[in-house]
Structures are given as structure tokens and as C-alpha cells.
Amino acid sequence: MGFLHMVVISNAEAAREVLQVQDNIFSNRPATIAIRYLTYDRADMAFAHYGPFWRQMRKICVVKLFSRKRAESWNSVRGEVDTIVRTIAANVGDPINVGEVVYYLTKNIVYRAALGSGCRERQAEFISILEEFSKLFEAFNIADFIPCLWWVDPQHLNKRLIKARAALDGFIDKIIDEHVEKRRRDICEGESDMVDGLLNFYSEEAKLNNDSVEQQNAMRVTKDNIKAVIMDVMFGGTETVASGIEWTMAELMRSPEELRREMLRLHPPIPLLLHETAENAAVCGYHVPKGARVIINVWAIGRDKGTWEEPEAFKPLRFLNPEAPNFEGSDFEFIPFGSGRRSCPGMQLGLYGLEVAVAHLLHSFTWELPNGMKPSELDTSDVFGLAAPRASRLVAIPTKRLMCPL
Ligand code: HEM
């Protein structure tokens, strides 16, 4: 495409080749002009190329943000699910746009885990920054494919990028300063959110490098890295989990059986994995040049006729077979969280959010479709972007199942 080589992987054998056998070559990430600019030139984890910097960022994130020991991340799931159950309970009998409700829920969970509880107005400001980032990430920019055409900019992307990053700078700089101040006043308070976790890591680093120039550099890096990693977590953890909850609710209305794995097979929240080669390579007899974009089509792999019986059918019971593939990354027929070095670090947190939310929504309410609509009439198409939510939002009417107050 333009000046870029693109390779698409659509079966399990080639996916294994790319994500396991040769993953040292295929673990870079491609980045568009927008992604490079908005991630402070790959100062984050998701778009950093594979190497020592990425390894260090991933280690910090796994230990400081995603570990089971970080109670606040897991508490934020339970706290926000309780709030949403109470809001729905106050509106029983009216149609509820489940898609919008769960998107709001996951944004609140991730916001609270990343930046602390904060006030709701602030949250609204941050969400509007996030939405502009999302539009810019997905916008088509001809300069990504033919760089000399950078001046063809009908969507005014160049100006919008500068404005969007400046808005994020203003927002998170303030939050970082507040966290620094809070720590200065009350050292014993400990870590509560992800910013505290990241600041702790950098103050440990700064102690090792006592000289002042290095300390100043460490602080500059701190702010860019913190901002970029927070955006990774917001993007990685919001739409993926929301789309999972909404699809599970929709599929449950059609066919109420055990279904978590079947939902991830038919509707992987991230349908295309984006990788890039660090060197020339060969996959299944095809030459893949250095710097090529490699797109692993998880959606197609999950519906491959060679692997799955009746691949288009929603049959959760297929997973009762003990030989059925699991989704943890070793069975390449089924890789909703990716596999290998660049696989999802937020898998446990994501699954926890998905399960707690679905369990509470189903335990607390009975759901029916509005206007006498039959479950078989539900639209089951999805939209393709960085994530794959439902094409039309699920709207359903809740009634209370429990006698106790919610
Ligand atoms: C059901 C929920 C989720 C699904 C299905 C999912 C899926 C994925 C997939 C497919 C990848 C890319 C793997 C690759 O390129 O090979 C990924 C990467 C990533 N995910 Fe998730 N994810 C989920 C939840 C989360 C959550 C809750 C977070 C954070 C709070 C998160 C943060 C990330 C990050 C930061 C990366 C980039 C890792 C790297 O490049 O090293 N994800 N995820």
C-alpha cells in the first residue's frame, strides 16, 4: 500500500510462525504519524518497538499496574459495577442502551484505576480528550502511505494532533503535580492509583542517579512516559472490555448458555493484531521484508473452517470438550489476547471486569428486548476499527430480580 509492504496472516499455522517461532523478528509495532505524535514518539508500552525500553516499560506496567497485588485496580471494578447496578435499579422498566452504559462503566473503571477517583467533571474533560485521540488514531492520513503528500490534509489532522496532545499535557500535568504534592505532604499514604505506581518507580530510579542533570532528565521522561502509558491503559482497557460485556449480554439474550470463550472466538474485541518486522524474514515460504506491516487477523482465525466445526454458529458447548483450545496464547487457533511477547498484559484485569459486570447485571436484573423484538432478530454484525464493538448498540429493558434493595 503506497510505500508500505503489508502482510496479512489469516490462519493458525502462520500465526504460530509469527507470534512464537520467529517472534523476536515480528515483535515491533507499526505506528502511523498520529500514533507517533500522540504517544510522545513511542514513549509508551503498546507502541514502543521491541527492545530494552519496551521490556522495562512492560515490566513496570505488569508489576505496578496489572498485578493481582494492586488491590486498587481490582477494587475499582467492584466499586464502579456497584454504582452502575444502582443506576439501572433506579430506572427499571425503561429501555436501557446497554452498549452506552457498559462503555461508560469501563471508562470509569479504567479512569479510577489509572488516575484515582477524582471528580466527575474532570472525568468528562478527560473522556473528551480520549475521544479525540481515538478519532485521530483511526483517521486515514495519506502521508502514512506516501510521505511526500504530507501537505494533503483535508481533515486538518496536523492541527488537530497538536491541539489534542496539548490538551492531554494540560490535563495530566496537573494530575501528576497533584500526586507529587500529595506524596510530599503524606509520604506514608502509599500507592493508590497507577500514577502513584509510576511515580514511585521513577523516584526509585532518581535516587539511583543523584546528580541533578540526570534527575531533571528522569522527570522529563517521567511525564511523557506516564502520559503515554495512561493513554495505553485507557485505550487498551476501555473498548475491549465494554465490547466483551455488550457482546456477552447480546449473545446471552439469544442463547443463554456458558459462553465467555465462544464470545471471544466470534467477537474478538481486537480483531486485527498489528506487528512490524525488525528484519527480513520468511513465513510459510513467503518473503516478508524488513519494516513490513504484519496484520494477524484474529477474527478470521477464530472462524477458520479448517479448525472450527460450523465456525459461524454460536455454540458455547464446543468448549466443554477438554481438547478445545484455550485463549491464553498457546493455541494459535484462538488468540483473542494475542500471544508471545506483545500479548495483552491486561488479560486478567479485563476478564475480571467482564465477569464481574456480566454476573452483576444478570444476577440483579432480568433483561428483555424492547417493542416485542425477538432475540433471533438481534443484529449480530460488528464494526472493524482498532477494536470491534457491535455495529448497533444493544438496547434492553431491565426488571428487578432481587427482593433486597440494590
Ligand atoms: C477482554 C479484554 C481484552 C482483550 C480481548 C485484549 C486484547 C489485546 C490484544 C489482542 C492485544 C495485542 C496483542 C498483540 O499485538 O499480539 C492487547 C495488547 C494490549 N492490551 Fe489488551 N485486551 C483486553 C483488556 C485489556 C485491559 C483491561 C488493559 C489495561 C487496563 C489492556 C492493555 C493492553 C496493552 C497496554 C497492550 C499492549 C501490550 C504491548 O504492546 O506490549 N488490555 N490486548
Side-chain angles (χ1 to χ4, degrees), residues 40-336:
Y40 302 83
D41 204 12
R42 299 176 188 263
D44 64 332
M45 167 184 39
F47 290 99
H49 273 321
Y50 175 65
F53 171 76
W54 168 81
R55 209 173 295 120
Q56 193 196 23
M57 290 306 283
R58 175 116 178 172
K59 203 162 115 197
I60 304 168
C61 289
V62 168
V63 176
K64 301 280 180 189
L65 312 181
F66 299 121
S67 138
R68 270 272 175 193
K69 288 194 200 127
R70 276 213 75 251
E72 183 58 30
S73 298
W74 308 84
N75 290 346
S76 62
V77 173
R78 287 192 297 276
E80 294 298 327
V81 169
D82 283 352
T83 308
I84 223 79
V85 166
R86 276 198 298 274
T87 312
I88 297 175
N91 291 287
V92 283
D94 293 331
I96 289 200
N97 188 324
V98 179
E100 272 174 29
V101 167
V102 296
Y103 188 49
Y104 177 77
L105 165 70
T106 55
K107 275 189 296 198
N108 287 350
I109 292 175
V110 185
Y111 184 95
R112 186 163 148 187
L115 302 174
S117 31
C119 65
R120 294 283 174 190
E121 291 99 80
R122 239 191 189 182
Q123 218 158 315
E125 183 189 344
F126 185 63
I127 298 306
S128 71
I129 298 175
L130 193 74
E131 281 169 356
E132 175 66 351
F133 264 54
S134 192
K135 286 186 200 143
L136 290 166
F137 277 152
E138 289 180 7
F140 175 78
N141 185 350
I142 185 97
D144 283 321
F145 305 95
I146 308 173
C148 59
L149 292 184
W150 59 269
W151 49 272
V152 181
D153 186 14
Q155 303 173 76
H156 307 292
L157 296 176
N158 296 330
K159 272 196 199 140
R160 281 170 62 193
L161 284 172
I162 294 172
K163 203 168 152 203
R165 202 174 82 178
L168 181 70
D169 282 336
F171 187 86
I172 300 200
D173 281 350
K174 230 184 296 158
I175 291 196
I176 295 176
D177 292 346
E178 282 167 15
H179 279 73
V180 171
E181 180 58 22
K182 190 182 76 187
R183 290 151 61 86
R184 205 180 53 79
R185 275 190 277 121
D186 183 9
I187 301 156
C188 303
E189 204 176 303
E191 288 177 24
S192 59
D193 58 36
M194 291 184 181
V195 174
D196 285 316
L198 292 165
L199 281 175
N200 259 3
F201 175 81
Y202 281 106
S203 48
E204 282 157 25
E205 285 283 282
K207 270 184 226 139
L208 297 176
N209 304 320
N210 249 347
D211 109 67
S212 64
V213 178
E214 293 206 34
Q215 242 173 352
Q216 276 170 16
N217 283 345
M219 199 55 204
R220 185 171 54 78
V221 172
T222 303
K223 287 200 169 178
D224 284 357
N225 290 144
I226 291 178
K227 283 182 262 189
V229 168
I230 294 296
M231 287 320 248
D232 276 0
V233 171
M234 289 302 299
F235 278 107
T238 305
E239 201 148 325
T240 48
V241 181
S243 137
I245 301 171
E246 192 185 2
W247 272 117
T248 309
M249 296 285 292
E251 294 289 11
L252 262 178
M253 302 202 79
R254 279 157 43 91
S255 160
E257 301 167 69
E258 196 276 313
L259 52 73
R260 183 180 67 172
R261 288 204 274 180
E262 185 68 336
M263 182 282 291
L264 288 168
R265 179 184 74 82
L266 277 173
H267 310 292
I270 300 189
L272 304 174
L273 311 185
L274 305 178
H275 287 229
E276 193 182 282
T277 44
E279 295 167 24
N280 288 336
V283 176
C284 302
Y286 292 92
H287 171 67
V288 184
K290 177 177 174 179
R293 289 202 179 169
V294 180
I295 300 170
I296 298 130
N297 191 339
V298 175
W299 188 89
I301 293 174
R303 291 169 185 240
D304 187 339
K305 288 198 193 75
T307 312
W308 304 96
E309 220 172 86
E310 292 183 67
E312 300 295 329
F314 180 78
K315 289 171 69 179
L317 296 183
R318 68 175 88 235
F319 286 103
L320 289 184
N321 176 355
E323 308 279 289
N326 75 50
F327 52 61
E328 282 168 16
S330 50
D331 295 335
F332 289 83
E333 302 84 355
F334 187 35
I335 42 172

Side-chain angles (χ1 to χ4, degrees), residues 292-406:
R293 289 202 179 169
V294 180
I295 300 170
I296 298 130
N297 191 339
V298 175
W299 188 89
I301 293 174
R303 291 169 185 240
D304 187 339
K305 288 198 193 75
T307 312
W308 304 96
E309 220 172 86
E310 292 183 67
E312 300 295 329
F314 180 78
K315 289 171 69 179
L317 296 183
R318 68 175 88 235
F319 286 103
L320 289 184
N321 176 355
E323 308 279 289
N326 75 50
F327 52 61
E328 282 168 16
S330 50
D331 295 335
F332 289 83
E333 302 84 355
F334 187 35
I335 42 172
F337 295 95
S339 170
R341 296 165 209 241
R342 303 304 296 244
S343 62
C344 180
M347 179 170 87
Q348 297 303 345
L349 188 58
L351 287 172
Y352 182 71
L354 182 70
E355 283 167 8
V356 171
V358 172
H360 277 73
L361 293 178
L362 296 180
H363 179 64
S364 312
F365 308 101
T366 304
W367 296 85
E368 269 173 53
L369 293 171
N371 309 323
M373 191 176 169
K374 291 198 201 88
S376 56
E377 290 164 7
L378 263 182
D379 177 9
T380 54
S381 37
D382 28 24
V383 189
F384 261 54
L386 286 178
R390 287 171 47 79
S392 48
R393 290 293 197 204
L394 171 67
V395 176
I397 303 175
T399 42
K400 273 194 192 169
R401 268 191 75 237
L402 303 176
M403 302 308 286
C404 59
L406 291 170

